[in-house]
Amino acid sequence: MSAQAQPVWSASSGLAFVLLFGAVNLFADMTYEGARSVTGPFLGMLGATGFIVGTVTGFGEFLGYALRLVSGRWADSSRMYWPITLAGYVVQMVAVPALALSGSWPIAAVLILFERIGRATRNPPRDVMLAQAGEQMGRGWAFGVNEAMDQCGALIGPLAIAGLLAWKGNFQLAFACLALPAIITLLLVFGARFTFPDAGRIAREPQTSQVGRYPPAYWWYCLGAGLVGFGFADYSLIAFHLSKSHIVANEWIPIFYAFAMGAGGIGSLIVGRLFDRLGLFVLLPVTIVVAVYAPLAFLGGFALSLLGALLWGIGLGAHESVMQAAVAHMIPRERLGSAYGVFGAIFGIAWFAGSAALGALYDVSVVAMVAVAVVAQLLAVVPIAIAGRRVRTH
């Protein structure tokens, strides 16, 4: 590939790309996070148990991360970063409004899984393009800005769903209305493709003796992120608990989620900026503080549950903004898509195992479930600290 094929990003052009994709993800998050904010009570209404809710949403997260191994390697080998990204957005944006047509929890579960498959398909190639665009402006800041705009959509979507539920009390109508931001998402992402057609052109670097191997810091970070994922109950389980325990009315559940996403957006901006200065060490205090989300969300009343949801959102936003930037610092660009895929697979397996385990424990003992979630989060501090030290010293 010639030198001309490799796009040269300035700070301004990189920022423009990040902001445009931020707009894409704002409307995308309005769509799928709006739906996700009520999938727990929706599945419960259709007859699902706590174990089913935890397993379905956990398996969805597993697919949403594990399949990145396939799409990431496919993107690196084919260099079709844009086509794979576009295909993923199409699948995701079609699956969400289709929930309006589901009349049983198995059908709804299949659509929830398809939505996660679409997200898995588009994320690694998209993140490779964002990582390259963010080289001059700072990758932590680039992913932080993108994640903040993500979370802005994740704030608006659940609030809109809450309003629709308060007005009509109909889940199917709420899902059908999400077709509007889904269409806007597709228009914007195809517009981004034609505005920045060279974004997906990544030059191949010369082969080295390290080909096929990832540095130890990468694997330590994968272990830390996996423990974080294991201890992170999917919001659908939190929502299921809030509804089943009658802590809040159903229309408040997406509002809690919206507040959590807003907190996550602010957290992603702060943590993303600090990552460019401090590296992975910025995650250590965040992980420790966020570990208390579980006792607050599952053992508290209205106010404490809301605080737990806010901490849950902050933790999710912080890790989402840092993980892509951190991996980009550890791995050469020509193998970045594959590295994102491997990382996503590990994180997804951990999230699935954790969600299923936490869902099963919830049906038996909420206190035991909370204890497992807290311990997993706190254990993650050790490998993240080791990874941060190795990155800083190499």
Side-chain angles (χ1 to χ4, degrees), residues 162-234:
L164 286 167
L165 289 178
W167 176 42
K168 289 292 186 180
N170 188 303
F171 285 108
Q172 280 83 0
L173 175 63
F175 291 134
C177 289
L178 292 174
L180 178 59
I183 292 171
I184 295 174
T185 298
L186 294 177
L187 291 175
L188 285 173
V189 74
F190 277 91
R193 162 63 179 85
F194 290 106
T195 304
F196 294 95
D198 290 339
R201 297 182 183 176
I202 309 298
R204 294 184 183 273
E205 301 291 338
Q207 298 294 316
T208 70
S209 61
Q210 297 298 310
V211 66
R213 299 173 57 189
Y214 296 129
Y218 171 81
W219 295 114
W220 281 112
Y221 184 46
C222 285
L223 175 59
L227 287 169
V228 168
F230 187 91
F232 248 98
D234 192 89

Side-chain angles (χ1 to χ4, degrees), residues 86-313:
L86 295 174
Y89 275 103
V90 169
V91 171
Q92 188 181 30
M93 292 301 105
V94 169
V96 173
L99 282 166
L101 304 176
S102 58
S104 65
W105 73 257
I107 295 175
V110 169
L111 291 171
I112 290 170
L113 297 182
F114 266 105
E115 183 273 317
R116 295 287 89 181
I117 290 171
R119 189 167 186 259
T121 302
R122 49 94 160 172
N123 269 27
R126 182 208 65 183
D127 288 345
V128 171
M129 293 188 284
L130 284 171
Q132 301 311 311
E135 283 185 339
Q136 299 301 317
M137 62 182 289
R139 286 184 175 127
W141 183 235
F143 282 107
V145 168
N146 183 73
E147 182 65 19
M149 295 183 72
D150 269 17
Q151 302 298 66
C152 182
L155 169 67
I156 297 170
L159 287 178
I161 293 298
L164 286 167
L165 289 178
W167 176 42
K168 289 292 186 180
N170 188 303
F171 285 108
Q172 280 83 0
L173 175 63
F175 291 134
C177 289
L178 292 174
L180 178 59
I183 292 171
I184 295 174
T185 298
L186 294 177
L187 291 175
L188 285 173
V189 74
F190 277 91
R193 162 63 179 85
F194 290 106
T195 304
F196 294 95
D198 290 339
R201 297 182 183 176
I202 309 298
R204 294 184 183 273
E205 301 291 338
Q207 298 294 316
T208 70
S209 61
Q210 297 298 310
V211 66
R213 299 173 57 189
Y214 296 129
Y218 171 81
W219 295 114
W220 281 112
Y221 184 46
C222 285
L223 175 59
L227 287 169
V228 168
F230 187 91
F232 248 98
D234 192 89
Y235 185 78
S236 294
L237 186 59
I238 297 176
F240 180 84
H241 168 74
L242 295 176
S243 177
K244 181 180 178 181
S245 302
H246 305 290
I247 294 173
V248 300
N250 276 344
E251 55 266 26
W252 271 97
I253 292 174
I255 295 176
F256 270 39
Y257 189 69
F259 288 161
M261 293 297 97
I266 295 172
S268 67
L269 282 175
I270 296 172
V271 175
R273 176 62 84 182
L274 289 176
F275 171 81
D276 288 331
R277 300 178 181 180
L278 304 176
L280 280 174
F281 291 108
V282 71
L283 288 180
L284 300 183
V286 173
T287 302
I288 293 170
V289 172
V290 168
V292 302
Y293 89 88
L296 293 173
F298 288 97
L299 301 178
F302 185 96
L304 291 180
S305 294
L306 176 58
L307 179 58
L310 292 176
L311 287 176
W312 181 89

